[in-house]
Amino acid sequence: MTDPNAHRLWIQEALNLRLAEPGARTLGQRLYETLRDGIQQGQLAPGSALPSSRQLASELGIGRNTVLGAVDRLIAEGFLASRPGAGVFVADWQWGPREHLDVQTTSPVTLSRRGERLLDFTTPPSARHTAFAPGVPALDRFPRERWQRLLRRHQQRAPVDWFDYRNEGGVSALREALCDYLRLSRSVRCQPEQILITQGAQQGFELIARLLADVGDDVWLEEPGYGGAQACFASAGLTLRPVAVDDEGLNVASLPAGTPSPRLIYVTPSHQYPSGTTLSLARRTALLGLAQQHGAWIIEDDYDSEFRYTSAPIASLQGLMDNAPVIYVGTFSKVLYPGLRLGYLVLPPPLVATFQRVNARLHREGQYVTQAALADFIAEGHFSRHVARMRKCYRTRQTALRRALAPAIARGLELSSGHAGMHLVAYLASHELERELLQRGEEAGLRLSPLSGYYLQAPGQPGLVLGYAGATEDEIAHVGRWLSDTWLALV
């Protein structure tokens, strides 16, 4: 196609089709896309002349400036070329053979082996969490107005250096407030300078894996265990070594003789995820001794220790001894809300400077306004009051779930103790029953979380991890009755 008039007719027809498409794009954007697509697809051949801007504007019934804007953009991008005194021509360029283009645009994307492995730790995204989603707090109970006032306070008075690159581990006021809180409530042994503020626990795991272990090193993890930690250590190229969990928590004695020494040991000692057990004192002290013996670091993930219903919070593993080989990891995603994206590490003094430097290099410190607001939220007592309210709320919501499941419980459905946390585990008799419940949940618009999915080694124990913290009592009653009725129909 070399005739400008033929070009004009094609452009007019193609633009009319583009104008009929829904969307918020301007007329100039649509003309630009029409011309660009025609060039890329070969309808406007290299070297052929375009009609003049006046002629195009007149024939298309649009403003000349609109035409000039689209043409100038295509000239700047190299699709068109302007020849003074001669006009505008389609540039002499090419992708390569057209058949090669077809292969490239239809071939599946090839992921790295690490990327393929990471997919095993993910689930497809959903529009919103459903009632049984584990780890989702009571977002409807968060004091948003008070939180917004604190944010506005610090947005108005933020010093200019908060807008620069930072390398100090976080806002000092937050580190001090956290230090006081952790000493009092969790018996953590620390000074404010040992705390590194991160963008959530996952970033903390990533830093630990990168800085303290090499590719191929062993990391011991609870079995079953937290998929986020599993994914992070897998992405770092570490060898994941599952360690069975029983009624006393992580059972190192279950490992076969000759198991390689660990470089890292990941554990949730206060409230094991997802089983809910607590690591016994005897095993805590033994684990500390084992870590010292092997030169390993223990990663203590204290993800929801505030929510205990039958006793005071369990003291941290880190606080059991001076100079413990423990990195304490905390997050505000469960106690406040996930979108806050703030967590922290309590680091042994020799690691502090290195972790600060690498964190600033890889991730950049930020969110200083939010950190300052959180420091006030803690210092002014809002945090402790919110925790107390949520503890009461979650106890009520767990009771509502047990009440809704009562008919199934009476017929033998076994639930975890529920002494702490934001979820219960329903143990099932078979994997077939687990799969059938998952399928029926999908059909009912519920995404259920299979207990077997928390195991690194198949097949794992069948069951369901039932989050209750993020659902109202009415929602819990509704979905709980559905689960009870469905389970009863299948057993």
Side-chain angles (χ1 to χ4, degrees):
M1 184 189 299
T2 58
D3 181 2
N5 289 325
H7 278 171
R8 175 177 50 78
L9 293 174
W10 180 87
I11 294 168
Q12 186 173 28
E13 181 179 349
L15 182 59
N16 286 336
L17 292 174
R18 185 83 68 175
L19 289 172
E21 297 174 357
R25 302 190 308 281
T26 66
L27 184 58
Q29 289 172 320
R30 296 181 188 224
L31 177 59
Y32 158 79
E33 292 169 0
T34 299
L35 294 172
R36 184 197 60 192
D37 291 350
I39 295 169
Q40 290 179 320
Q41 295 168 10
Q43 283 90 353
L44 304 177
S48 59
L50 250 62
S52 70
S53 58
R54 284 191 177 87
Q55 186 178 8
L56 272 178
S58 174
E59 294 291 340
L60 298 175
I62 60 179
R64 188 182 176 215
N65 285 339
T66 300
V67 175
L68 288 172
V71 169
D72 288 346
R73 182 175 174 183
L74 290 164
I75 290 173
E77 293 177 358
F79 290 103
L80 298 176
S82 176
R83 301 177 190 171
V88 175
F89 298 81
V90 177
D92 188 10
W93 71 281
Q94 56 181 339
W95 287 106
R98 180 64 190 169
E99 60 273 14
H100 176 67
L101 266 184
D102 291 337
V103 171
Q104 289 293 94
T105 55
T106 58
S107 297
V109 174
T110 301
L111 295 178
S112 65
R113 288 191 297 272
R114 181 172 54 192
E116 292 285 358
R117 190 181 185 196
L118 280 174
L119 285 178
D120 294 336
F121 299 98
T122 66
T123 56
S126 58
R128 65 177 294 272
H129 290 296
T130 55
F132 284 139
V136 180
L139 302 179
D140 58 316
R141 301 292 185 91
F142 183 71
R144 286 176 290 179
E145 292 184 7
R146 181 176 293 113
W147 177 246
Q148 290 297 328
R149 284 198 297 270
L150 292 174
L151 285 175
R152 286 193 295 269
R153 176 196 299 174
H154 288 283
Q155 285 168 345
Q156 292 166 359
R157 63 175 67 165
V160 67
D161 59 347
W162 283 6
F163 297 92
D164 198 357
Y165 293 116
R166 311 296 296 164
N167 182 17
E168 58 193 68
V171 169
S172 58
L174 178 56
R175 298 162 78 190
E176 291 166 4
L178 264 176
C179 185
D180 291 341
Y181 172 76
L182 292 172
R183 284 172 176 168
L184 180 64
S185 69
R186 307 294 299 115
S187 301
V188 171
R189 305 186 189 205
C190 69
Q191 299 297 322
E193 56 269 21
Q194 290 177 248
I195 297 176
L196 173 66
I197 306 300
T198 63
Q199 296 178 42
Q202 291 294 122
Q203 187 182 99
F205 300 149
E206 179 191 8
L207 287 169
I208 293 168
R210 290 193 183 205
L211 286 172
L212 299 180
D214 290 316
V215 172
D217 282 350
D218 268 45
V219 53
W220 290 2
L221 302 104
E222 299 164 321
E223 178 84 327
Y226 174 48
Q230 295 168 354
C232 186
F233 299 135
S235 72
L238 306 187
T239 300
L240 309 187
R241 191 79 58 183
V243 183
V245 168
D246 60 23
D247 291 342
E248 293 187 61
L250 186 78
N251 183 12
V252 173
S254 68
L255 288 170
T259 298
S261 298
R263 180 59 180 157
L264 303 174
I265 304 171
Y266 172 84
V267 64
T268 53
S270 297
H271 182 233
Q272 200 277 328
Y273 190 85
S275 73
T277 61
T278 298
L279 189 64
S280 67
L281 179 59
R283 289 194 182 173
R284 288 172 180 241
T285 55
L287 189 62
L288 288 168
L290 184 146
Q292 289 181 319
Q293 174 188 343
H294 291 288
W297 290 100
I298 298 172
I299 304 166
E300 179 177 8
D301 184 0
D302 209 16
Y303 67 100
D304 71 351
S305 60
E306 290 84 0
F307 304 127
R308 295 195 71 84
Y309 311 121
T310 58
S311 67
I314 303 296
S316 68
L317 177 65
Q318 188 266 9
L320 282 181
M321 61 181 288
D322 289 326
N323 303 315
V326 178
I327 300 174
Y328 182 92
V329 183
T331 177
F332 293 100
S333 294
K334 306 294 187 294
V335 68
L336 296 180
Y337 63 94
L340 183 60
R341 302 303 305 129
L342 284 179
Y344 53 91
L345 301 178
V346 179
L347 297 160
L351 297 179
V352 171
T354 298
F355 270 70
Q356 282 188 12
R357 287 178 56 187
V358 173
N359 182 56
R361 174 69 275 175
L362 291 180
H363 304 294
R364 300 298 188 188
E365 292 185 13
Q367 297 180 282
Y368 269 45
V369 167
T370 304
Q371 290 186 35
L374 181 54
D376 283 357
F377 193 77
I378 296 172
E380 295 175 10
H382 306 306
F383 183 81
S384 58
R385 287 191 290 272
H386 179 65
V387 168
R389 286 193 297 268
M390 292 304 96
R391 190 181 295 121
K392 181 179 179 180
C393 170
Y394 296 161
R395 185 189 293 115
T396 300
R397 292 183 175 184
Q398 184 190 129
T399 300
L401 179 55
R402 289 183 180 276
R403 186 183 305 117
L405 293 175
I409 294 171
R411 288 276 302 277
L413 178 65
E414 181 186 353
L415 297 181
S416 57
S417 68
H419 294 324
M422 303 161 64
H423 69 269
L424 293 173
V425 176
Y427 297 100
L428 301 175
S430 68
H431 292 92
E432 291 76 17
L433 179 56
E434 183 187 72
R435 287 192 292 270
E436 184 64 29
L437 286 169
L438 293 180
Q439 178 61 39
R440 296 201 181 193
E442 286 288 335
E443 294 169 357
L446 277 176
R447 176 171 290 176
L448 298 174
S449 183
L451 177 60
S452 63
Y454 291 79
Y455 285 78
L456 288 168
Q457 293 181 322
Q461 184 172 1
L464 298 174
V465 180
L466 305 174
Y468 54 77
T472 66
E473 283 83 349
D474 287 343
E475 288 176 315
I476 291 170
H478 174 71
V479 298
R481 283 193 299 268
W482 173 88
L483 179 58
S484 180
D485 293 342
T486 305
W487 182 87
L488 287 168
L490 293 172
V491 297

